[in-house]
Amino acid sequence: MSAPNGINPNIPHSARVYDYWLGGKDNFEADRRVAEATMTAVPGVRESARNNRAFLGRAVRHLTQLGIRQFLDLGTGIPTQGNVHEVAQAEAPDARVVYVDNDPIVMAHARALLTGTPQGKTAYIEADVRDPRAVLAHPEVRETLDFTQPIALVMVAVLMHIQDQDDPAGIVKTFADAVPAGSYLVLSHLTLDLVSQQTADAYLAATQSQAMHRTPRTGEQITRYFDEFDLIEPGLVAVSEWRETPLFTDTATWMYGGVGRKR
């Protein structure tokens, strides 16, 4: 691919590394070097990324089948296969989706890609998930979504990028308080609970660069994000175990995933 204006292809970026693991084309040689090095050091990281993406698709499809027609995708990342609007609108063409990301790199990649069906609507805003009130007040969000009707909050592989001092639990609560009962939270998060200590140490050593830094959390910590929600079956589990057989066999399980319904 050629670099969009303002993008330095020689600096690796976590969103493009993730795109490479998913089999996407929006990545550069610098991203591929980081991705391959991490795959060498950390067993199963690519398969886990793909299972996480598959979890997103299964969760969105399930909620659409339950009648949800509105999705607020917080921290969407670079568009790749199986975007939220594609999954939702394949089931319900009138579904409405707003994508949110604060990264100009993601914005540059996304401008021409996130178009939905004529019956529904797809919007993309550049905003910071760490400022939920600004996101919620954004005119495009208010124009696209009806906050008197249930909304699915999608926070897949995003809170692990938010450090404790930025109060990720408070961020989730602010978004949860803005949507009505019957809304849902779709969430996945990096964890080291499900791997050996040796594997965890290898992961931490391999991911300290700015391009790959993430904050893993325990299942107990992640469960607290669902304080205003009732987890639906099967609860908070490895993303590869959420409702269906995984597409890729995990040699190590890095991600918890769950879906909760607001009381």
Side-chain angles (χ1 to χ4, degrees), residues 84-96:
V84 170
H85 75 282
E86 294 170 331
V87 176
Q89 292 175 354
E91 295 286 335
D94 60 336
R96 303 168 76 85

Side-chain angles (χ1 to χ4, degrees), residues 2 109 133 166 223 262:
S2 59
H109 289 292
R133 289 179 178 83
D166 291 320
T223 299
K262 187 178 177 182

Side-chain angles (χ1 to χ4, degrees), residues 11 28-29 40 47 50 60 68 72 103 108 119 147 149 173 183 187 241 246 251 254-255:
I11 299 176
F28 301 110
E29 180 60 30
T40 299
E47 290 77 8
R50 293 182 177 188
V60 169
I68 298 298
L72 181 56
D103 193 325
Q119 302 96 314
F147 280 78
Q149 298 298 315
K173 185 178 188 323
S183 295
L187 187 148
E241 298 175 3
T251 56
W254 298 101
M255 302 288 290

Side-chain angles (χ1 to χ4, degrees), residues 8-192:
N8 186 343
N10 299 312
I11 299 176
H13 188 273
S14 60
R16 293 196 303 263
V17 171
Y18 190 65
D19 176 74
Y20 176 76
W21 287 338
L22 295 178
K25 60 182 179 57
D26 295 307
N27 50 76
F28 301 110
E29 180 60 30
D31 307 306
R32 294 189 283 273
R33 285 197 299 267
V34 169
E36 291 287 349
T38 306
M39 288 163 53
T40 299
V42 181
V45 67
R46 177 170 61 180
E47 290 77 8
S48 189
R50 293 182 177 188
N51 279 331
N52 183 64
R53 188 69 178 184
F55 159 75
L56 169 65
R58 294 200 302 275
V60 169
R61 187 176 303 108
H62 180 69
L63 294 185
T64 308
Q65 291 168 351
L66 291 178
I68 298 298
R69 295 294 180 266
Q70 303 188 104
F71 296 84
L72 181 56
D73 188 350
L74 300 158
T76 180
I78 290 175
T80 186
Q81 297 90 345
N83 298 297
V84 170
H85 75 282
E86 294 170 331
V87 176
Q89 292 175 354
E91 295 286 335
D94 60 336
R96 303 168 76 85
V97 180
V98 177
Y99 293 98
V100 181
D101 207 292
N102 71 326
D103 193 325
I105 292 177
V106 172
M107 176 66 86
H109 289 292
R111 290 184 193 277
L113 298 176
L114 298 179
T115 56
T117 61
Q119 302 96 314
K121 184 172 182 180
T122 303
Y124 188 100
I125 69 167
E126 187 172 0
D128 195 330
V129 171
R130 293 171 297 180
D131 188 357
R133 289 179 178 83
V135 172
L136 293 165
H138 195 285
E140 194 78 18
V141 173
R142 289 290 164 178
E143 179 184 335
T144 305
L145 304 179
D146 178 358
F147 280 78
T148 69
Q149 298 298 315
I151 295 171
L153 303 170
V154 180
M155 305 188 80
V156 169
V158 61
L159 293 178
M160 62 197 200
H161 296 284
I162 298 176
Q163 298 182 357
D164 291 340
Q165 59 263 33
D166 291 320
D167 190 17
I171 291 169
V172 175
K173 185 178 188 323
T174 302
F175 281 114
D177 288 347
V179 297
S183 295
Y184 286 84
L185 172 63
V186 179
L187 187 148
S188 69
H189 198 295
L190 175 68
T191 187
L192 301 180

